[in-house]
C-alpha cells in the first residue's frame, strides 16, 4: 500500500491526527513512568525485613508511676513470658523492624582517619537477650552474643557502650566492600572520636524501623545491652499457627504482674509492615487507576476519530470498492493510517517520558527509567491504537459500494 496518499489525506486535515498523536505522546510519557513507579513501590513494599514477621509481635508498656526496680521488672517479665506455652523466644528490645520509630547512630567509620562514610546512619538495636532467636534472623558469619558480652546502661546515670556488635550483611558490604570476612574488624559509632567496637557476627538481613528506600534500609547493628528504661517494649516469637492465642495469654500474664503500667499497643511485625507501606500501596493503587483511565481515554479518542473519518469518507470508500478494492484493502488503509499517527505520537512520547523521568529522578529521588519500560510501553501503545481503530475500520470495509455512494 502506498503511504503517500494516506499522508496527503492526513495533511489536508491535520487537526485530528495531531490531537491524537499528542494524546498518544502524553499517555506514553505518563503511563511509562507510572508503570515503573508502581513496580518500584510494590517491590519496595515486598522487601523482606529479615524477621519472622508472621510469628513475632511487640508489646509496648508505659508506666503511669515511677518504677523503682527497672531491671527486676524486666527480668520478672521475661520469666513470665517464657513460661507461656507456645512462646519460642522473647527479648526486651528498644525497637523493631518496620516500627517507624527507634534509635539510630552515625556516621559509622572503620578507622580513626576516615573522613567520609558510606553509612551515614545505622539503626541501633540493643537487647539483653538474643534478637537473632527472637526475630528469627539468619546468622551468616560469626556468632551470637554470649553472657560475657552483655552490659547494662541506665540512661539517668551513664552512657555505657558494649565492646562488640553484630551488623547486617548489607552494612558490612558497604563498610568493607572488598573484604571476604569482617569478623574482628572495628567500627566507630558516631565518628572516629568514639571508642571502637568489634564486629563478632553478621546477619543476613535486619531492616531498620524506617525501612527507607535503597540499601540504607538494611544498615542495622545489634548491641548486647540491657537498657534500664521504664518504658518497655518486648518482642515475642511464637510457634507458627498459634500466634494470636499465645500473644493473648502473654498480654494477660504481663498485665497481671503489675498495675503500675498500661499497655500502649500489641501488634505483629506483619501489621507493622502494613502500616509502614500503606503509603506505597496507596500510591500504586492511584497510579494504576490513572494509567487505566489514560489508556481508556486514549483508546476512546482513537475510536472517535476513526468513526468520524469513516463517516466523512463513505463516498470515497464506496468509490474504491466500486473500482475493485477489497474489504481487506479498506481495512488495511485505516490500520496503516492509525499506525502512522500512533508512531508519530510514540516518537514524541519517548522524549516526553525521558524528560519526565529526569524530573522525577532529580526532584523525588526516584530510580532512572529502564529502557525495557520504554519498549514495553511503545509496544502497548501500538497494540492499543490498532485495537481501537479495528472496529471503525471493519465497519468501513463492510459498507456496500452502492449504499456508500448513495448516502454520501
Amino acid at each position: 500500500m502506498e503511504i503517500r496518499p494516506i499522508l496527503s489525506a492526513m495533511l489536508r486535515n491535520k487537526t485530528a491526527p495531531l490531537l491524537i498523536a499528542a494524546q498518544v505522546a502524553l499517555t506514553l510519557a505518563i503511563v511509562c513512568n507510572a508503570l515503573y513507579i508502581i513496580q518500584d513501590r510494590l517491590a519496595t513494599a515486598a522487601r523482606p525485613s529479615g524477621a519472622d514477621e508472621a510469628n513475632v509481635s511487640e508489646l509496648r508498656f508505659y508506666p503511669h508511676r515511677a518504677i523503682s526496680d527497672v531491671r527486676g521488672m524486666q527480668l520478672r517479665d521475661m520469666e513470665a513470658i517464657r513460661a507461656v506455652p507456645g512462646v519460642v523466644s522473647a527479648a526486651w528490645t528498644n525497637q523493631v523492624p518496620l516500627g517507624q520509630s527507634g534509635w539510630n547512630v552515625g556516621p559509622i567509620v572503620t578507622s580513626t582517619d576516615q573522613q567520609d562514610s558510606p553509612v551515614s546512619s545505622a539503626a541501633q538495636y540493643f537487647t539483653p537477650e538474643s534478637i537473632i532467636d527472637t526475630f528469627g534472623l539468619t546468622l551468616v558469619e560469626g556468632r551470637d552474643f554470649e553472657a560475657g558480652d552483655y552490659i547494662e546502661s541506665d540512661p539517668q546515670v551513664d552512657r555505657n557502650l558494649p565492646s562488640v556488635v553484630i551488623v547486617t550483611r548489607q552494612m558490612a558490604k558497604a563498610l568493607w566492600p572488598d573484604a571476604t570476612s569482617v569478623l574482628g574488624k572495628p567500627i566507630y559509632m558516631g565518628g572516629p572520636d568514639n571508642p571502637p567496637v568489634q564486629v563478632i557476627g553478621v546477619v543476613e538481613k535486619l531492616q531498620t524501623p524506617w525501612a527507607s528506600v535503597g540499601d540504607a534500609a538494611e544498615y542495622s547493628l545489634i548491641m548486647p545491652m540491657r537498657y534500664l528504661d521504664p518504658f518497655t517494649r518486648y518482642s515475642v516469637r511464637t510457634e507458627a499457627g498459634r500466634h494470636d492465642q499465645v500473644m493473648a495469654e502473654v498480654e494477660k500474664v504481663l498485665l497481671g504482674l503489675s498495675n503500675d503500667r498500661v499497655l500502649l499497643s500489641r501488634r505483629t511485625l506483619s501489621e507493622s509492615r502494613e502500616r509502614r507501606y500503606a503509603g506505597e500501596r496507596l500510591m500504586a493503587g492511584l497510579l494504576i487507576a490513572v494509567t487505566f483511565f489514560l489508556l481508556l481515554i486514549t483508546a476512546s479518542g482513537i475510536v472517535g476519530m476513526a468513526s468520524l473519518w469513516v463517516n466523512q469518507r463513505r463516498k470515497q470508500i464506496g468509490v474504491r470498492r466500486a473500482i475493485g478494492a477489497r474489504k481487506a484493502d479498506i481495512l488495511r488503509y485505516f490500520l496503516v493510517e492509525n499506525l502512522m499517527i500512533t508512531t508519530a505520537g510514540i516518537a514524541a512520547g519517548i522524549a516526553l517520558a525521558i524528560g519526565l523521568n529526569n524530573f522525577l529522578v532529580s526532584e523525588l529521588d526516584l530510580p532512572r527509567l529502564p529502557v525495557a519500560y520504554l519498549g514495553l510501553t511503545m509496544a502497548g501503545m501500538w497494540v492499543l491504537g490498532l485495537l481501537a481503530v479495528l472496529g471503525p475500520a471493519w465497519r468501513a470495509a463492510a459498507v456496500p459500494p452502492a449504499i456508500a455512494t448513495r448516502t454520501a
Side-chain angles (χ1 to χ4, degrees):
M1 173 179 287
E2 289 288 339
I3 301 298
R4 185 177 296 176
I6 300 176
L7 183 60
S8 299
M10 287 193 294
L11 290 176
R12 286 194 297 269
N13 185 11
K14 297 185 288 291
T15 303
L18 286 175
L19 288 175
I20 293 300
Q23 190 174 13
V24 169
L26 184 61
T27 300
L28 184 145
I30 295 176
V31 167
C32 186
N33 281 279
L35 288 176
Y36 186 49
I37 293 173
I38 291 169
Q39 184 275 333
D40 181 70
R41 296 298 89 188
L42 293 179
T44 298
R47 295 176 303 175
S49 66
D52 182 9
E53 297 177 15
N55 298 308
V56 177
S57 278
E58 63 161 343
L59 299 96
R60 298 189 304 147
F61 292 92
Y62 188 82
H64 56 78
R65 59 189 178 199
I67 306 294
S68 59
D69 182 11
V70 175
R71 184 179 187 277
M73 176 192 70
Q74 292 180 4
L75 292 174
R76 287 191 300 272
D77 288 347
M78 290 305 306
E79 183 180 0
I81 293 172
R82 289 172 177 147
V84 174
V87 170
V88 174
S89 182
W92 184 99
T93 57
N94 65 317
Q95 59 195 26
V96 295
L98 306 169
Q100 296 183 272
S101 66
W103 299 58
N104 68 321
V105 61
I108 307 297
V109 297
T110 58
S111 66
T112 55
D113 58 355
Q114 185 177 0
Q115 299 299 319
D116 299 317
S117 173
V119 181
S120 59
S121 178
Q124 192 178 22
Y125 290 85
F126 40 83
T127 177
E129 287 85 26
S130 173
I131 273 186
I132 292 177
D133 289 342
T134 300
F135 287 165
L137 307 180
T138 301
L139 186 69
V140 294
E141 187 179 7
R143 63 174 177 84
D144 199 352
F145 300 125
E146 297 174 348
D149 297 324
Y150 293 99
I151 66 166
E152 287 191 357
S153 178
D154 186 340
Q156 304 298 323
V157 177
D158 57 60
R159 296 284 180 174
N160 293 336
L161 289 176
S163 59
V164 294
V165 70
I166 294 173
V167 301
T168 60
R169 186 197 291 272
Q170 192 63 51
M171 183 171 160
K173 183 179 178 181
L175 292 173
W176 300 282
D178 300 323
T180 56
S181 174
V182 301
L183 297 183
K185 292 185 178 296
I187 61 172
Y188 299 80
M189 298 184 297
D193 295 334
N194 294 313
V197 180
Q198 184 183 49
V199 176
I200 63 165
V202 179
V203 292
E204 176 66 28
K205 287 181 181 294
L206 176 57
Q207 279 191 351
T208 70
W210 313 278
S212 54
V213 176
D215 293 341
E218 293 183 26
Y219 290 168
S220 300
L221 54 86
I222 309 170
M223 303 167 60
M225 182 170 69
R226 180 180 298 282
Y227 195 68
L228 301 179
D229 188 348
F231 175 82
T232 303
R233 176 186 271 113
Y234 295 115
S235 297
V236 182
R237 183 156 71 102
T238 69
E239 296 175 356
R242 300 182 57 194
H243 190 73
D244 291 342
Q245 172 191 351
V246 173
M247 288 308 303
E249 183 62 24
V250 168
E251 179 182 330
K252 179 181 177 182
V253 168
L254 289 179
L255 289 175
L257 286 178
S258 175
N259 61 0
D260 51 11
R261 58 188 176 182
V262 293
L263 178 66
L264 291 181
S265 66
R266 188 192 95 195
R267 64 186 180 196
T268 65
L269 296 191
S270 295
E271 292 169 336
S272 295
R273 171 179 290 277
E274 292 294 318
R275 292 164 61 97
R276 163 61 185 87
Y277 291 117
E280 277 77 0
R281 286 190 298 273
L282 177 61
M283 177 186 289
L286 290 174
L287 288 175
I288 289 172
V290 168
T291 299
F292 173 79
F293 282 113
L294 270 176
L295 294 174
L296 181 63
I297 291 170
T298 301
S300 299
I302 294 172
V303 170
M305 180 200 71
S307 299
L308 177 63
W309 285 359
V310 167
N311 290 330
Q312 290 177 341
R313 301 176 188 180
R314 289 176 68 86
K315 184 175 181 179
Q316 176 187 344
I317 294 169
V319 170
R320 291 195 61 194
R321 290 293 310 281
I323 62 176
R326 299 168 300 170
K327 290 183 178 181
D329 296 326
I330 303 300
L331 182 64
R332 185 168 62 251
Y333 178 94
F334 283 98
L335 292 178
V336 171
E337 183 179 60
N338 175 265
L339 187 63
M340 293 171 62
I341 296 172
T342 303
T343 300
I346 286 173
I350 291 173
L352 281 176
I354 294 173
L356 177 59
N357 182 248
N358 288 335
F359 171 79
L360 294 174
V361 168
S362 61
E363 297 297 326
L364 301 180
D365 197 29
L366 290 175
R368 197 162 294 281
L369 183 69
V371 176
Y373 277 80
L374 285 172
L376 178 65
T377 313
M378 287 168 56
M381 294 307 299
W382 270 316
V383 171
L384 177 68
L386 291 174
L387 290 177
V389 81
L390 189 59
W394 187 266
R395 291 195 298 272
V399 175
I403 295 176
T405 53
R406 186 176 66 243
T407 57

